[in-house]
Amino acid sequence: MPRWIDAVKTPDDISVEVLSKILSEEVVQYSLSPLGRGVLSNVQTLEVTLSTRRIKLIAKFRREDIPLEDLFSIEGAFYHLVDELEDFNAFPFQLTKALATGTYWLLLEFISNVTTLDVHQSCPMNEFDDLIYRLAKMHDYCWMDSSNSTEIAKTLNK
C-alpha cells in the first residue's frame, strides 16, 4: 500500500529522511532530474543510492501553473486501487506501483524497457485502435465495477 506523505509539495521537499521513511531502507544520497515528458505535472527521475544498491524512481509534482487541485488525489486513489489488484498482470497496460502519494505529489516505481510516445504528438495511427481499446478496458475495470468506484470515491472524499 502506498504511504500517504503530504509534507512533500515540490522537489525541494525531498530529503534523505523522507526517502528512507518511504523505502524503509537507509538512503545514502539521491538526485532528481527533469524527465521532460509531463504535461499536467512536473515529472522527475529520482536516482536513489541505498546502502546496498541503487534504484531509479519517478516523482511527479503538481505544477503551480495548472490549477488541478484534485489531480494527485485522483491519481493516488487509482494507485491505491492498483495496489489491491488480485491479478496485476490482467490489467490492459503495464502498470507501475506507487510508493507514496500526497496532495501535491506521487512517488512511483520506474518501469524500464518500455516504449513511450511523445505526449506532445498525436498517437500513431497504427496504434490508435489498440490504445482506445486498452483505455476502454481500464476505465471499465476502474469505474464500471461498483465496488471499485465506491473505493475510489471513498478515497477521494477523505
Side-chain angles (χ1 to χ4, degrees):
M1 180 74 66
R3 292 178 183 249
W4 178 263
I5 309 275
D6 215 27
V8 175
K9 296 183 178 175
T10 71
D12 293 336
D13 296 326
I14 297 290
S15 67
V16 167
E17 294 78 23
V18 168
L19 292 172
S20 294
K21 179 180 177 181
I22 293 167
L23 299 171
S24 299
E25 284 189 59
E26 180 187 352
V27 172
V28 177
Q29 66 182 17
Y30 69 92
S31 64
L32 281 162
S33 57
L35 185 59
R37 289 201 175 116
V39 174
L40 297 178
S41 56
N42 172 7
V43 183
Q44 306 265 332
T45 56
L46 179 60
E47 302 269 351
V48 180
T49 303
L50 303 166
S51 56
T52 59
R53 61 194 166 99
R54 290 182 56 116
I55 60 172
K56 191 175 194 178
L57 304 169
I58 297 292
K60 294 174 71 174
F61 301 93
R62 187 171 150 202
R63 287 179 43 180
E64 293 287 329
D65 59 323
I66 299 179
L68 295 172
E69 290 81 13
D70 292 336
L71 179 65
F72 288 104
S73 296
I74 293 168
E75 192 169 346
F78 170 78
Y79 282 110
H80 280 269
L81 172 68
V82 165
D83 192 62
E84 295 171 4
L85 286 176
E86 289 180 21
D87 186 3
F88 194 73
N89 295 319
F91 209 74
F93 293 100
Q94 183 177 1
L95 295 175
T96 188
K97 289 195 173 196
L99 302 173
T101 63
T103 305
Y104 297 91
W105 82 304
L106 297 168
L107 183 62
L108 308 170
E109 290 180 344
F110 181 83
I111 299 175
S112 59
N113 301 322
V114 68
T115 301
T116 59
L117 302 173
D118 187 328
V119 296
H120 300 288
Q121 296 178 358
S122 62
C123 180
M125 290 305 292
N126 63 328
E127 297 185 38
F128 187 79
D129 289 344
D130 182 57
L131 177 63
I132 294 298
Y133 173 77
R134 289 171 185 256
L135 284 169
K137 278 184 74 173
M138 178 187 75
H139 284 86
D140 177 57
Y141 181 86
C142 293
W143 298 108
M144 299 310 284
D145 178 335
S146 62
S147 64
N148 291 336
S149 303
T150 302
E151 288 306 310
I152 290 174
K154 279 193 240 174
T155 302
L156 294 177
N157 291 324
K158 284 185 179 177

